[in-house]
Amino acid sequence: MSQKSRTIFEKIWDAHVVAQEPGAPAVLYIDLHLVHEVTSPQAFSVLKERGMKVRRPDRTVATMDHSIPTVPGGYEAADELGRLQLRQLETNCKDHGVRLYGLNSEQRGIVHVIGPEQGFTQPGMTIVCGDSHTSTHGAFGSLGFGIGTSEVGHVLATQCLLQHKPKTCEIHVDGQLRPGVTAKDIILALLAKIGAGGGTGYVLEYTGAAIRALDMEGRMTVCNMSIEGGARAGMIAPDDKTFQFIAGREFAPKGEAWDKAMAYWRTLPTDPGATYDKVVSLDAGKIEPMVTWGTNPGQGVAITAPLPDPSCVASAQERASLEKAFAYMKFTPGKPLAGEKVDVVFLGSCTNGRVGDLRAAAQLLRGRRVASGVRMLVVPGSQSVKQTAEAEGLDRIFKEAGAEWREAGCSMCIAMNGDQIAPGQLAVSTSNRNFEGRQGKGGRTVLASPLTAAAAAVTGCITDPRTLIK
Amino acid sequence: MSAPQFTKLTARCVVLPNTDVDTDQIIPARFLKVTDKLGLGEKLFCDWRYRDDGSPNPSFILNQPEAKGVQVLVAGNNFGCGSSREHAPWALVGWGFRVVISTLFADIFKGNALKNGLLPVVVEPAAHAALVAARAKDPNLPVTIDLEAQTVAWPGQDPLRFPIDPFARSCLLKGVDELGYLLGFLTNVEAYEAARV
Ligand code: SF4
């Protein structure tokens, strides 16, 4: 390899190019392929049509998360179509010798939660999944990105993908977060700045003191939502926090293999002098708790700030987009969102369904009650998260406050399993997408941090969590 | 297994001006519990296309009489953002679309579309506005997309060149199947794996 200074992205990319013909995309090797029930059946069908087997079942891990019930009862609790899809994944995994975290597994959970939790996700890896939030795994200094079902078939068959090299963008977040402001607020603030398409064509690398100060869960939250800016992936260079998180997990390297891995992982961070195609800077100290008001994650504002006013926007296209969002969300332009009445609060998802997220919300809820008329649903990101939370007594805090405590799954993030809001209802959600109808047809979503979600649960309206932090 | 092909198309278009149309709007998640690709065209833009009682929403573009038989969708900026679901291009193709024209496509959507013979054509904002204006004047406006020449044209507009990944272009022109191409590298893959241990 050349002596040129390289970014972490370039190092990982270079190390995984198997072949590249002129005028063609690179044949990129994939170290870890995560699979779930919704985007894989048609890919397994392609293998079947061609009489092929999964080439590297040892590099393939499957879980059930999107359409599974979050109430006890296993397959019986799923609707018929969902059940068929789950059974199909089970059959496909059995036929191809793929490890599956099925409905009865004590470790199953959302694909992007269990990857890191079980130690599959490691620095320097290329990781893909038929799921756009695969960007989450970049928090470990890996290159993780979402793919379509045709590509799921390509990876199952060859362990490779055809990929064009994306451009790089540094997201430099300096300064220090103030109390009550979290990783979720960093990423929502970034998205409000660059917009829902602002990262298209780029791999983002998050750098700066505020990113270094985040724990691994916070880093995952940030990388998770890189896709909401259209970015191919989000990455954070690994450091001691990363290594400590991985050490001892079931599929982490052990003994000599660990030492060898560490030696490699330490070479990954971006070299001094390496350059990016673009740089965006944020000052963490100026970020406030954020909420989205519109119908894409780039339409966010500080909780104390007034919503934009379409009539003050010059570009006709942007004005039309704001007007459409206001028409759907039924909020008032120019007024802050705080005080808006809330029907449902959802705490969970691959963005904020980890134990730290549950702890933060529980701390605010302790000794308080969910406001009357508000439904709060708490869905751990994995069964392991659920067990840890229960061992700490967090479930009791939620239940005593009047919230529902569920089994792990994607649940109301995508509303495929019956956990959904009704038309017109307003949900404050710790998930990642506020698209029209995302949490149930006709439902309205405000994205926020676990603290802001808990504050909304307690007061029954959108509330700055800093007013409630004890 | 036949790989999708695209050479040249002249067809009528409809305009969906909304920006940032996400794949949840193209095909809502509740229709993803399928294990094949059949019938997704029926559900395309479901929540915009049908009213709560299931009847067609007469003001939605696909329910207007001139939408019958169109094959080109003129979409707003950042079309196909959000979820990676390939069900989105499956639904668009299932409905009968063969081309989407926009000023920007989300990355994953663009890749998924190309793999299903749905051509994403990127044009400059000025050209996009001109096309929308021309379509407003003539609901039967024919649009011609020539992949060989990499151009898009309509009456009153000389052929405009659009960018496209040369590899995807040649796959579509020749009907090359990408998985077949990848399988041709298996010896390289084995060598790569052997060298890494
Ligand atoms: S929690 Fe939501 S965003 Fe995350 S994988 Fe599940 S459905 Fe996708």
Side-chain angles (χ1 to χ4, degrees), chain A residues 65-66 110-112 131 133 224 349-350 410 413-414 432 438:
Chain A
D65 53 6
H66 280 66
I110 304 171
V111 62
H112 312 306
D131 194 285
H133 293 100
N224 173 275
S349 87
C350 59
C410 295
C413 171
I414 189 162
N432 42 51
R438 170 79 177 188

Side-chain angles (χ1 to χ4, degrees), chain A residues 15-16 18-19 21 23-25 29 31 38 41-42 49-50 52 55-56 59 79 81-82 85 130-132 146-151 154 158 160 162 164 196-197 200-201 232 296 317 321 324 414 416 433 435-436 438 441, chain B residues 1 18-20 22 24-25 29-30 32-37 47-48 51-52 77-78 82-87 90 104-105 107-108 112 115 165-167 177-183 185-186 188-190 192-193 196-197:
Chain A
H16 288 84
V18 169
E21 290 191 329
Y29 193 78
D31 293 317
V38 175
Q42 297 86 350
E49 281 164 27
R50 300 195 184 215
M52 299 183 67
R55 186 163 179 280
R56 293 296 299 265
R59 291 190 177 276
D79 67 26
L81 268 181
Q85 203 177 49
D131 194 285
S132 56
I147 57 177
T149 296
S150 295
E151 292 175 314
H154 296 177
T158 67
C160 291
L162 291 169
H164 288 284
T200 306
R232 200 78 188 96
N296 74 56
Q317 182 177 289
S321 143
K324 185 164 190 302
I414 189 162
M416 284 184 74
R433 286 186 173 146
F435 298 151
E436 289 183 24
R438 170 79 177 188
K441 192 177 169 191
Chain B
M1 279 294 304
N18 313 13
T19 56
D20 303 310
D22 57 80
D24 274 79
Q25 306 318 313
R30 60 184 186 279
L32 306 188
K33 290 181 196 169
V34 290
T35 50
D36 54 30
K37 307 173 187 176
D47 292 348
W48 290 346
R51 292 189 286 210
D52 288 343
N77 192 58
N78 195 26
S83 153
S84 63
R85 61 190 67 167
E86 199 161 320
H87 308 68
W90 294 338
L104 176 71
F105 290 96
D107 276 337
I108 307 180
N112 286 341
K115 288 180 181 58
D165 158 34
F167 179 76
D177 147 56
E178 288 194 10
L179 177 52
Y181 174 85
L182 257 179
L183 286 168
F185 288 92
L186 276 185
N188 304 58
V189 179
E190 280 158 20
Y192 175 87
E193 286 174 332
R196 275 221 314 176
V197 193

